[in-house]
Amino acid sequence: MDEWVNPVVGPHNGTRLSDKKNKLPRNNQNRDESQKHQGQWKKPVPKGYRLRDGRLTGGQRLLCAGVAGALSLSLTAPLELATVLAQVGARRGRARGPWAEGLRVWRAEGPRALWKGNAVACLRLFPCSAVQLAAYRKFVVLFTDDLGHISQWRSIMAGSLAGMVSTVVTYPTDLIKTRLTVQNLLEPSYRGIFHAFSTVYQQEGFLALYRGVSLTVLGALPFSAGSLLVYMNLERIWNAPRDRFSLLQNFANVCLAAAVTQTLSFPFDTVKRNMQAQSPCLPHRGGVDVHFSGAVDCFRQIVKARGVLALWNGLTPNLLKIVPYFGVMFGTFEFCKRICLYQNGYTVSPLSYQLTPGVDQSLKPQELREFKKFFKTRQLKSKKPTL
């Protein structure tokens, strides 16, 4: 999802703001918009910048991202369930592998159990995305130099810090998701999302909702390092410059970056899940097979009881969900974007990117509405009989 606008380059047609003020010729600026989607013409965007599509409002972008994220989470929820159960060691049988674990849960608790915790995961998408977007813009302004440029490393750091801030702000919902995921639906400790919130707050206190939050901060370091590692080697992998990557290559880059970053930060996520799931107020202490008193002790006890590789338990189903997760997310986001562009009047159909004839694609939605309203009023006045 496009998130911000270059302060030096105009948000729509790639012209400098000073050119607009001087009213320079726009023959080379208003190229055919269809060429942009076909890759025949690229905006002169400085390195390190990403332009957002000004034809969508902020609410529409957030809605598209929320719908895409909720659908992708719902379709990959069984793999997420297998990942969390493997991390906390809440296996009550001898099942091996993600498919066997999912089948065991299906037989023991029913098919609905494969989507345990998915509702709260979908609900936290909208506040998490809103906080992440606002934080990202703040960090970008902070890391931008006097000339309005930002390096790729600083851009990656801005994204990582924004993700960390959004995760910390919405962390209680992540803890509730873990509690609902590891519980047995046949003998539930929590009847729902709000009951889980109130129960944890009353029995364990407010700070219990933030148990394990320090691992989120520590996990951001290998996450950023993995992102930079992938970015620095993209040209070597594809043997081509980054500005000439195809859509399929960009999708592969996202999946590769997700696989590398999640693998590097997975031990921190494993410890975080164990700290979230363990509770003295739950039967069998939440189903966690190791007992600990803090984050460092949790690391030590997991390695002592199950070995070093236990820190990566559940990595296989976590990696298996990357391609379908991002595939569904990107596809759904583009489809929702087409619907919004059609509603705003930029395209002739929600099923394609065919542009509406006579519509200036550089106008923002509010400007386009006012423009149409102006011409409609002018046409009505011209139809009135004159003396």
Side-chain angles (χ1 to χ4, degrees), residues 130-191:
V131 173
Q132 184 173 2
L133 178 59
Y136 180 73
R137 290 176 175 175
K138 294 294 184 181
F139 284 121
V140 163
V141 174
L142 181 64
F143 293 153
T144 301
D145 58 21
D146 296 335
L147 298 178
H149 291 79
I150 183 173
S151 64
Q152 187 61 32
W153 165 244
R154 291 186 176 184
S155 179
I156 292 176
M157 282 299 300
S160 301
L161 291 175
M164 183 181 65
V165 170
S166 62
T167 302
V168 171
V169 172
T170 60
Y171 190 82
T173 58
D174 190 40
L175 182 136
I176 297 301
K177 170 184 170 294
T178 302
R179 293 286 182 94
L180 295 176
T181 301
V182 300
Q183 75 171 355
N184 191 335
L185 287 185
L186 301 180
E187 301 174 354
S189 301
Y190 309 110
R191 295 190 298 270

Short mmCIF file of all heavy atoms in Angstrom, two decimals, residues 130-191:
data_model
loop_
_atom_site.label_atom_id
_atom_site.label_comp_id
_atom_site.label_asym_id
_atom_site.label_seq_id
_atom_site.Cartn_x
_atom_site.Cartn_y
_atom_site.Cartn_z
N ALA A 130 -3.76 1.93 10.88
CA ALA A 130 -3.84 3.39 11.05
C ALA A 130 -2.66 3.92 11.86
O ALA A 130 -2.03 4.92 11.49
CB ALA A 130 -5.16 3.76 11.72
N VAL A 131 -2.32 3.24 12.95
CA VAL A 131 -1.19 3.68 13.78
C VAL A 131 0.12 3.53 13.02
O VAL A 131 0.99 4.41 13.07
CB VAL A 131 -1.16 2.88 15.09
CG1 VAL A 131 0.10 3.20 15.89
CG2 VAL A 131 -2.39 3.17 15.93
N GLN A 132 0.26 2.43 12.27
CA GLN A 132 1.49 2.21 11.52
C GLN A 132 1.68 3.26 10.44
O GLN A 132 2.80 3.76 10.23
CB GLN A 132 1.48 0.82 10.90
CG GLN A 132 2.77 0.46 10.17
CD GLN A 132 2.78 -0.98 9.73
OE1 GLN A 132 1.84 -1.73 9.92
NE2 GLN A 132 3.88 -1.39 9.12
N LEU A 133 0.60 3.61 9.74
CA LEU A 133 0.70 4.63 8.70
C LEU A 133 1.08 5.98 9.27
O LEU A 133 1.96 6.68 8.74
CB LEU A 133 -0.64 4.72 7.96
CG LEU A 133 -0.74 5.78 6.85
CD1 LEU A 133 0.31 5.53 5.78
CD2 LEU A 133 -2.13 5.79 6.26
N ALA A 134 0.43 6.37 10.39
CA ALA A 134 0.75 7.66 11.01
C ALA A 134 2.19 7.68 11.53
O ALA A 134 2.92 8.67 11.35
CB ALA A 134 -0.23 7.94 12.14
N ALA A 135 2.61 6.59 12.15
CA ALA A 135 3.98 6.54 12.68
C ALA A 135 5.00 6.53 11.55
O ALA A 135 6.07 7.17 11.66
CB ALA A 135 4.15 5.29 13.54
N TYR A 136 4.69 5.84 10.45
CA TYR A 136 5.63 5.80 9.33
C TYR A 136 5.86 7.19 8.74
O TYR A 136 6.99 7.58 8.43
CB TYR A 136 5.09 4.85 8.25
CG TYR A 136 6.00 4.74 7.04
CD1 TYR A 136 7.19 4.04 7.11
CD2 TYR A 136 5.64 5.33 5.83
CE1 TYR A 136 8.02 3.93 6.01
CE2 TYR A 136 6.47 5.22 4.73
CZ TYR A 136 7.66 4.51 4.82
OH TYR A 136 8.47 4.41 3.72
N ARG A 137 4.79 7.96 8.61
CA ARG A 137 4.94 9.32 8.07
C ARG A 137 5.78 10.18 9.00
O ARG A 137 6.59 11.00 8.55
CB ARG A 137 3.56 9.93 7.87
CG ARG A 137 2.78 9.30 6.72
CD ARG A 137 1.38 9.87 6.61
NE ARG A 137 0.67 9.36 5.44
CZ ARG A 137 -0.59 9.61 5.16
NH1 ARG A 137 -1.31 10.38 5.99
NH2 ARG A 137 -1.16 9.10 4.09
N LYS A 138 5.60 10.02 10.30
CA LYS A 138 6.39 10.80 11.26
C LYS A 138 7.87 10.44 11.17
O LYS A 138 8.74 11.32 11.19
CB LYS A 138 5.87 10.57 12.68
CG LYS A 138 4.46 11.09 12.92
CD LYS A 138 4.40 12.61 12.84
CE LYS A 138 2.99 13.11 13.18
NZ LYS A 138 2.91 14.59 13.08
N PHE A 139 8.16 9.13 11.08
CA PHE A 139 9.56 8.70 11.01
C PHE A 139 10.20 9.11 9.69
O PHE A 139 11.39 9.42 9.64
CB PHE A 139 9.65 7.18 11.20
CG PHE A 139 9.48 6.73 12.62
CD1 PHE A 139 8.46 5.86 12.97
CD2 PHE A 139 10.33 7.19 13.61
CE1 PHE A 139 8.29 5.45 14.27
CE2 PHE A 139 10.17 6.78 14.93
CZ PHE A 139 9.14 5.91 15.26
N VAL A 140 9.42 9.11 8.61
CA VAL A 140 9.95 9.54 7.32
C VAL A 140 10.35 11.02 7.38
O VAL A 140 11.42 11.41 6.90
CB VAL A 140 8.92 9.30 6.19
CG1 VAL A 140 9.27 10.10 4.95
CG2 VAL A 140 8.85 7.82 5.85
N VAL A 141 9.50 11.84 7.95
CA VAL A 141 9.83 13.26 8.10
C VAL A 141 11.06 13.42 8.98
O VAL A 141 11.93 14.27 8.72
CB VAL A 141 8.63 14.02 8.70
CG1 VAL A 141 9.00 15.47 9.02
CG2 VAL A 141 7.45 13.99 7.75
N LEU A 142 11.19 12.58 10.01
CA LEU A 142 12.34 12.67 10.91
C LEU A 142 13.63 12.27 10.22
O LEU A 142 14.69 12.88 10.46
CB LEU A 142 12.09 11.78 12.14
CG LEU A 142 13.17 11.76 13.22
CD1 LEU A 142 13.31 13.14 13.86
CD2 LEU A 142 12.84 10.72 14.29
N PHE A 143 13.58 11.25 9.35
CA PHE A 143 14.78 10.74 8.70
C PHE A 143 15.11 11.44 7.38
O PHE A 143 16.15 11.17 6.80
CB PHE A 143 14.63 9.24 8.44
CG PHE A 143 14.60 8.42 9.70
CD1 PHE A 143 13.93 7.20 9.73
CD2 PHE A 143 15.23 8.86 10.84
CE1 PHE A 143 13.90 6.44 10.88
CE2 PHE A 143 15.21 8.11 12.00
CZ PHE A 143 14.54 6.90 12.02
N THR A 144 14.22 12.30 6.88
CA THR A 144 14.47 12.98 5.61
C THR A 144 15.48 14.12 5.81
O THR A 144 15.39 14.87 6.78
CB THR A 144 13.16 13.53 5.04
OG1 THR A 144 12.24 12.46 4.85
CG2 THR A 144 13.39 14.21 3.70
N ASP A 145 16.44 14.24 4.87
CA ASP A 145 17.45 15.28 5.00
C ASP A 145 16.91 16.64 4.53
O ASP A 145 15.73 16.76 4.15
CB ASP A 145 18.71 14.91 4.23
CG ASP A 145 18.44 14.67 2.74
OD1 ASP A 145 17.41 15.16 2.24
OD2 ASP A 145 19.25 13.99 2.09
N ASP A 146 17.77 17.64 4.52
CA ASP A 146 17.34 19.00 4.17
C ASP A 146 16.93 19.12 2.72
O ASP A 146 16.15 20.02 2.36
CB ASP A 146 18.47 19.99 4.46
CG ASP A 146 18.80 20.07 5.95
OD1 ASP A 146 17.89 19.75 6.75
OD2 ASP A 146 19.93 20.43 6.30
N LEU A 147 17.43 18.24 1.84
CA LEU A 147 17.09 18.29 0.43
C LEU A 147 15.83 17.49 0.10
O LEU A 147 15.44 17.40 -1.06
CB LEU A 147 18.26 17.75 -0.41
CG LEU A 147 19.57 18.54 -0.30
CD1 LEU A 147 20.66 17.88 -1.13
CD2 LEU A 147 19.35 19.98 -0.73
N GLY A 148 15.21 16.92 1.11
CA GLY A 148 14.00 16.14 0.88
C GLY A 148 14.25 14.73 0.42
O GLY A 148 13.36 14.10 -0.18
N HIS A 149 15.44 14.18 0.67
CA HIS A 149 15.77 12.83 0.26
C HIS A 149 15.92 11.93 1.49
O HIS A 149 16.25 12.40 2.58
CB HIS A 149 17.06 12.79 -0.56
CG HIS A 149 16.93 13.43 -1.91
ND1 HIS A 149 16.96 14.81 -2.07
CD2 HIS A 149 16.76 12.90 -3.14
CE1 HIS A 149 16.82 15.10 -3.34
NE2 HIS A 149 16.69 13.96 -4.03
N ILE A 150 15.70 10.65 1.28
CA ILE A 150 15.84 9.66 2.35
C ILE A 150 16.49 8.42 1.76
O ILE A 150 16.15 7.97 0.67
CB ILE A 150 14.47 9.31 2.98
CG1 ILE A 150 14.64 8.33 4.15
CG2 ILE A 150 13.51 8.76 1.95
CD1 ILE A 150 13.36 8.09 4.92
N SER A 151 17.48 7.89 2.45
CA SER A 151 18.17 6.69 1.98
C SER A 151 17.30 5.46 2.19
O SER A 151 16.33 5.48 2.97
CB SER A 151 19.50 6.52 2.72
OG SER A 151 19.27 6.31 4.11
N GLN A 152 17.65 4.39 1.48
CA GLN A 152 16.87 3.17 1.60
C GLN A 152 16.98 2.58 3.01
O GLN A 152 16.02 2.03 3.54
CB GLN A 152 17.33 2.14 0.57
CG GLN A 152 16.46 0.89 0.50
CD GLN A 152 15.04 1.21 0.12
OE1 GLN A 152 14.79 2.15 -0.62
NE2 GLN A 152 14.09 0.44 0.65
N TRP A 153 18.17 2.66 3.61
CA TRP A 153 18.34 2.14 4.96
C TRP A 153 17.45 2.90 5.94
O TRP A 153 16.81 2.29 6.81
CB TRP A 153 19.80 2.25 5.38
CG TRP A 153 20.03 2.09 6.84
CD1 TRP A 153 20.52 3.02 7.71
CD2 TRP A 153 19.79 0.91 7.63
NE1 TRP A 153 20.60 2.50 8.97
CE2 TRP A 153 20.15 1.21 8.96
CE3 TRP A 153 19.29 -0.36 7.35
CZ2 TRP A 153 20.04 0.29 9.99
CZ3 TRP A 153 19.18 -1.28 8.37
CH2 TRP A 153 19.55 -0.95 9.68
N ARG A 154 17.39 4.21 5.80
CA ARG A 154 16.52 4.99 6.69
C ARG A 154 15.05 4.70 6.41
O ARG A 154 14.22 4.71 7.33
CB ARG A 154 16.80 6.48 6.53
CG ARG A 154 18.17 6.91 7.07
CD ARG A 154 18.34 8.41 7.01
NE ARG A 154 19.60 8.84 7.61
CZ ARG A 154 19.97 10.10 7.75
NH1 ARG A 154 19.16 11.08 7.32
NH2 ARG A 154 21.13 10.41 8.31
N SER A 155 14.72 4.46 5.15
CA SER A 155 13.33 4.09 4.82
C SER A 155 12.95 2.77 5.46
O SER A 155 11.84 2.61 5.99
CB SER A 155 13.16 4.04 3.31
OG SER A 155 11.84 3.68 2.96
N ILE A 156 13.87 1.79 5.42
CA ILE A 156 13.61 0.50 6.06
C ILE A 156 13.48 0.66 7.57
O ILE A 156 12.61 0.06 8.21
CB ILE A 156 14.72 -0.50 5.70
CG1 ILE A 156 14.66 -0.85 4.21
CG2 ILE A 156 14.61 -1.77 6.54
CD1 ILE A 156 15.79 -1.75 3.75
N MET A 157 14.34 1.49 8.14
CA MET A 157 14.26 1.75 9.58
C MET A 157 12.94 2.42 9.94
O MET A 157 12.33 2.09 10.97
CB MET A 157 15.43 2.62 10.02
CG MET A 157 16.74 1.88 10.17
SD MET A 157 16.66 0.58 11.43
CE MET A 157 16.24 1.54 12.88
N ALA A 158 12.49 3.34 9.10
CA ALA A 158 11.21 4.00 9.36
C ALA A 158 10.07 3.00 9.33
O ALA A 158 9.18 3.03 10.20
CB ALA A 158 10.97 5.10 8.32
N GLY A 159 10.09 2.09 8.36
CA GLY A 159 9.05 1.06 8.30
C GLY A 159 9.10 0.12 9.49
O GLY A 159 8.05 -0.26 10.04
N SER A 160 10.30 -0.28 9.89
CA SER A 160 10.44 -1.19 11.03
C SER A 160 9.99 -0.54 12.33
O SER A 160 9.29 -1.14 13.15
CB SER A 160 11.90 -1.66 11.15
OG SER A 160 12.32 -2.32 9.98
N LEU A 161 10.40 0.71 12.54
CA LEU A 161 9.99 1.42 13.75
C LEU A 161 8.49 1.67 13.77
O LEU A 161 7.85 1.57 14.83
CB LEU A 161 10.74 2.74 13.85
CG LEU A 161 12.25 2.65 14.12
CD1 LEU A 161 12.89 4.02 14.06
CD2 LEU A 161 12.51 1.98 15.47
N ALA A 162 7.91 1.98 12.60
CA ALA A 162 6.46 2.18 12.54
C ALA A 162 5.72 0.88 12.87
O ALA A 162 4.72 0.90 13.59
CB ALA A 162 6.06 2.68 11.16
N GLY A 163 6.21 -0.24 12.34
CA GLY A 163 5.60 -1.52 12.68
C GLY A 163 5.73 -1.85 14.15
O GLY A 163 4.80 -2.39 14.77
N MET A 164 6.87 -1.50 14.75
CA MET A 164 7.07 -1.75 16.17
C MET A 164 6.12 -0.90 17.01
O MET A 164 5.53 -1.39 17.99
CB MET A 164 8.52 -1.46 16.54
CG MET A 164 8.87 -1.75 17.99
SD MET A 164 10.59 -1.37 18.35
CE MET A 164 10.59 0.42 18.11
N VAL A 165 5.95 0.37 16.63
CA VAL A 165 5.05 1.25 17.38
C VAL A 165 3.61 0.74 17.31
O VAL A 165 2.90 0.68 18.33
CB VAL A 165 5.14 2.69 16.83
CG1 VAL A 165 4.04 3.56 17.42
CG2 VAL A 165 6.51 3.28 17.15
N SER A 166 3.17 0.36 16.11
CA SER A 166 1.80 -0.12 15.97
C SER A 166 1.58 -1.42 16.74
O SER A 166 0.51 -1.65 17.31
CB SER A 166 1.46 -0.33 14.49
OG SER A 166 2.31 -1.31 13.91
N THR A 167 2.60 -2.28 16.76
CA THR A 167 2.49 -3.53 17.50
C THR A 167 2.40 -3.29 19.00
O THR A 167 1.61 -3.93 19.71
CB THR A 167 3.68 -4.44 17.19
OG1 THR A 167 3.73 -4.69 15.78
CG2 THR A 167 3.54 -5.78 17.92
N VAL A 168 3.19 -2.34 19.50
CA VAL A 168 3.16 -2.03 20.94
C VAL A 168 1.82 -1.42 21.33
O VAL A 168 1.24 -1.77 22.37
CB VAL A 168 4.32 -1.08 21.30
CG1 VAL A 168 4.18 -0.58 22.73
CG2 VAL A 168 5.66 -1.79 21.13
N VAL A 169 1.30 -0.53 20.49
CA VAL A 169 0.03 0.12 20.82
C VAL A 169 -1.12 -0.89 20.84
O VAL A 169 -1.99 -0.83 21.72
CB VAL A 169 -0.26 1.25 19.80
CG1 VAL A 169 -1.66 1.81 19.99
CG2 VAL A 169 0.77 2.36 19.95
N THR A 170 -1.12 -1.82 19.91
CA THR A 170 -2.21 -2.80 19.82
C THR A 170 -1.81 -4.15 20.42
O THR A 170 -2.42 -5.17 20.12
CB THR A 170 -2.62 -3.01 18.35
OG1 THR A 170 -1.48 -3.49 17.59
CG2 THR A 170 -3.10 -1.71 17.74
N TYR A 171 -0.80 -4.16 21.28
CA TYR A 171 -0.27 -5.41 21.81
C TYR A 171 -1.30 -6.21 22.61
O TYR A 171 -1.31 -7.45 22.51
CB TYR A 171 0.96 -5.14 22.67
CG TYR A 171 1.71 -6.39 23.05
CD1 TYR A 171 2.61 -6.98 22.18
CD2 TYR A 171 1.51 -7.00 24.29
CE1 TYR A 171 3.29 -8.13 22.52
CE2 TYR A 171 2.19 -8.15 24.64
CZ TYR A 171 3.08 -8.72 23.75
OH TYR A 171 3.74 -9.87 24.08
N PRO A 172 -2.15 -5.59 23.42
CA PRO A 172 -3.13 -6.40 24.16
C PRO A 172 -4.00 -7.28 23.27
O PRO A 172 -4.35 -8.40 23.66
CB PRO A 172 -3.96 -5.34 24.90
CG PRO A 172 -3.03 -4.20 25.09
CD PRO A 172 -2.20 -4.17 23.84
N THR A 173 -4.34 -6.81 22.08
CA THR A 173 -5.14 -7.65 21.18
C THR A 173 -4.34 -8.85 20.69
O THR A 173 -4.90 -9.92 20.46
CB THR A 173 -5.62 -6.82 19.97
OG1 THR A 173 -4.48 -6.27 19.29
CG2 THR A 173 -6.51 -5.68 20.43
N ASP A 174 -3.03 -8.68 20.54
CA ASP A 174 -2.19 -9.81 20.13
C ASP A 174 -2.11 -10.85 21.23
O ASP A 174 -2.11 -12.07 20.96
CB ASP A 174 -0.79 -9.31 19.76
CG ASP A 174 0.06 -10.38 19.10
OD1 ASP A 174 -0.48 -11.15 18.28
OD2 ASP A 174 1.26 -10.45 19.40
N LEU A 175 -2.03 -10.40 22.48
CA LEU A 175 -2.02 -11.35 23.60
C LEU A 175 -3.33 -12.11 23.69
O LEU A 175 -3.34 -13.33 23.91
CB LEU A 175 -1.74 -10.60 24.91
CG LEU A 175 -1.66 -11.47 26.16
CD1 LEU A 175 -0.47 -11.05 27.03
CD2 LEU A 175 -2.95 -11.39 27.00
N ILE A 176 -4.45 -11.41 23.50
CA ILE A 176 -5.76 -12.08 23.53
C ILE A 176 -5.87 -13.08 22.39
O ILE A 176 -6.43 -14.18 22.56
CB ILE A 176 -6.88 -11.04 23.47
CG1 ILE A 176 -6.83 -10.14 24.69
CG2 ILE A 176 -8.24 -11.71 23.37
CD1 ILE A 176 -6.95 -10.85 26.01
N LYS A 177 -5.32 -12.75 21.24
CA LYS A 177 -5.33 -13.68 20.11
C LYS A 177 -4.60 -14.97 20.46
O LYS A 177 -5.07 -16.08 20.15
CB LYS A 177 -4.69 -13.02 18.89
CG LYS A 177 -4.42 -13.96 17.73
CD LYS A 177 -3.70 -13.25 16.62
CE LYS A 177 -3.21 -14.24 15.57
NZ LYS A 177 -2.17 -15.15 16.09
N THR A 178 -3.44 -14.84 21.11
CA THR A 178 -2.68 -16.03 21.50
C THR A 178 -3.45 -16.85 22.53
O THR A 178 -3.49 -18.10 22.44
CB THR A 178 -1.32 -15.62 22.07
OG1 THR A 178 -0.60 -14.87 21.08
CG2 THR A 178 -0.50 -16.83 22.45
N ARG A 179 -4.06 -16.21 23.51
CA ARG A 179 -4.82 -16.94 24.53
C ARG A 179 -5.99 -17.70 23.90
O ARG A 179 -6.27 -18.85 24.27
CB ARG A 179 -5.35 -15.96 25.58
CG ARG A 179 -4.25 -15.30 26.42
CD ARG A 179 -3.66 -16.27 27.43
NE ARG A 179 -2.66 -15.64 28.26
CZ ARG A 179 -2.90 -15.08 29.45
NH1 ARG A 179 -4.15 -15.08 29.92
NH2 ARG A 179 -1.93 -14.53 30.14
N LEU A 180 -6.70 -17.07 22.96
CA LEU A 180 -7.83 -17.74 22.32
C LEU A 180 -7.36 -18.86 21.39
O LEU A 180 -8.10 -19.82 21.17
CB LEU A 180 -8.64 -16.72 21.52
CG LEU A 180 -9.35 -15.63 22.32
CD1 LEU A 180 -10.04 -14.64 21.39
CD2 LEU A 180 -10.37 -16.25 23.27
N THR A 181 -6.15 -18.74 20.86
CA THR A 181 -5.65 -19.76 19.94
C THR A 181 -5.25 -21.03 20.68
O THR A 181 -5.53 -22.14 20.20
CB THR A 181 -4.44 -19.20 19.16
OG1 THR A 181 -4.85 -18.05 18.41
CG2 THR A 181 -3.90 -20.25 18.19
N VAL A 182 -4.61 -20.89 21.82
CA VAL A 182 -4.09 -22.08 22.52
C VAL A 182 -5.13 -22.75 23.39
O VAL A 182 -4.91 -23.90 23.83
CB VAL A 182 -2.86 -21.69 23.37
CG1 VAL A 182 -1.76 -21.14 22.50
CG2 VAL A 182 -3.24 -20.70 24.46
N GLN A 183 -6.26 -22.11 23.67
CA GLN A 183 -7.25 -22.75 24.54
C GLN A 183 -8.01 -23.83 23.79
O GLN A 183 -8.11 -23.82 22.56
CB GLN A 183 -8.22 -21.71 25.08
CG GLN A 183 -9.25 -21.21 24.09
CD GLN A 183 -10.32 -20.36 24.73
OE1 GLN A 183 -10.37 -20.21 25.95
NE2 GLN A 183 -11.20 -19.80 23.93
N ASN A 184 -8.56 -24.76 24.55
CA ASN A 184 -9.36 -25.86 23.99
C ASN A 184 -10.82 -25.41 23.92
O ASN A 184 -11.40 -24.99 24.92
CB ASN A 184 -9.23 -27.10 24.86
CG ASN A 184 -9.81 -28.33 24.20
OD1 ASN A 184 -10.68 -28.23 23.34
ND2 ASN A 184 -9.30 -29.50 24.57
N LEU A 185 -11.41 -25.47 22.73
CA LEU A 185 -12.80 -25.03 22.57
C LEU A 185 -13.77 -25.92 23.32
O LEU A 185 -14.89 -25.48 23.63
CB LEU A 185 -13.17 -25.01 21.08
CG LEU A 185 -12.56 -23.89 20.24
CD1 LEU A 185 -13.11 -23.93 18.81
CD2 LEU A 185 -12.84 -22.53 20.85
N LEU A 186 -13.38 -27.16 23.62
CA LEU A 186 -14.28 -28.03 24.38
C LEU A 186 -14.30 -27.66 25.85
O LEU A 186 -15.29 -27.89 26.54
CB LEU A 186 -13.83 -29.49 24.22
CG LEU A 186 -13.81 -30.02 22.78
CD1 LEU A 186 -13.35 -31.48 22.76
CD2 LEU A 186 -15.17 -29.87 22.13
N GLU A 187 -13.20 -27.07 26.34
CA GLU A 187 -13.13 -26.60 27.72
C GLU A 187 -12.56 -25.18 27.73
O GLU A 187 -11.45 -24.93 28.21
CB GLU A 187 -12.24 -27.52 28.56
CG GLU A 187 -12.73 -28.96 28.60
CD GLU A 187 -11.75 -29.87 29.31
OE1 GLU A 187 -10.66 -29.39 29.66
OE2 GLU A 187 -12.08 -31.05 29.50
N PRO A 188 -13.30 -24.22 27.20
CA PRO A 188 -12.75 -22.87 27.03
C PRO A 188 -12.63 -22.12 28.35
O PRO A 188 -13.50 -22.20 29.21
CB PRO A 188 -13.75 -22.20 26.09
CG PRO A 188 -15.05 -22.89 26.37
CD PRO A 188 -14.69 -24.32 26.71
N SER A 189 -11.54 -21.38 28.47
CA SER A 189 -11.36 -20.48 29.61
C SER A 189 -11.94 -19.10 29.33
O SER A 189 -12.28 -18.37 30.26
CB SER A 189 -9.87 -20.34 29.94
OG SER A 189 -9.30 -21.60 30.24
N TYR A 190 -12.07 -18.77 28.03
CA TYR A 190 -12.61 -17.47 27.62
C TYR A 190 -13.75 -17.71 26.64
O TYR A 190 -13.63 -18.51 25.70
CB TYR A 190 -11.53 -16.61 26.96
CG TYR A 190 -10.26 -16.49 27.77
CD1 TYR A 190 -9.08 -17.10 27.36
CD2 TYR A 190 -10.24 -15.77 28.96
CE1 TYR A 190 -7.93 -17.00 28.09
CE2 TYR A 190 -9.08 -15.66 29.71
CZ TYR A 190 -7.92 -16.28 29.28
OH TYR A 190 -6.77 -16.17 30.02
N ARG A 191 -14.85 -17.01 26.85
CA ARG A 191 -16.03 -17.19 25.99
C ARG A 191 -15.98 -16.31 24.74
O ARG A 191 -16.77 -16.50 23.83
CB ARG A 191 -17.30 -16.89 26.79
CG ARG A 191 -17.56 -17.85 27.94
CD ARG A 191 -18.94 -17.64 28.51
NE ARG A 191 -19.11 -16.31 29.05
CZ ARG A 191 -18.85 -15.97 30.32
NH1 ARG A 191 -18.39 -16.89 31.17
NH2 ARG A 191 -19.04 -14.74 30.75
#
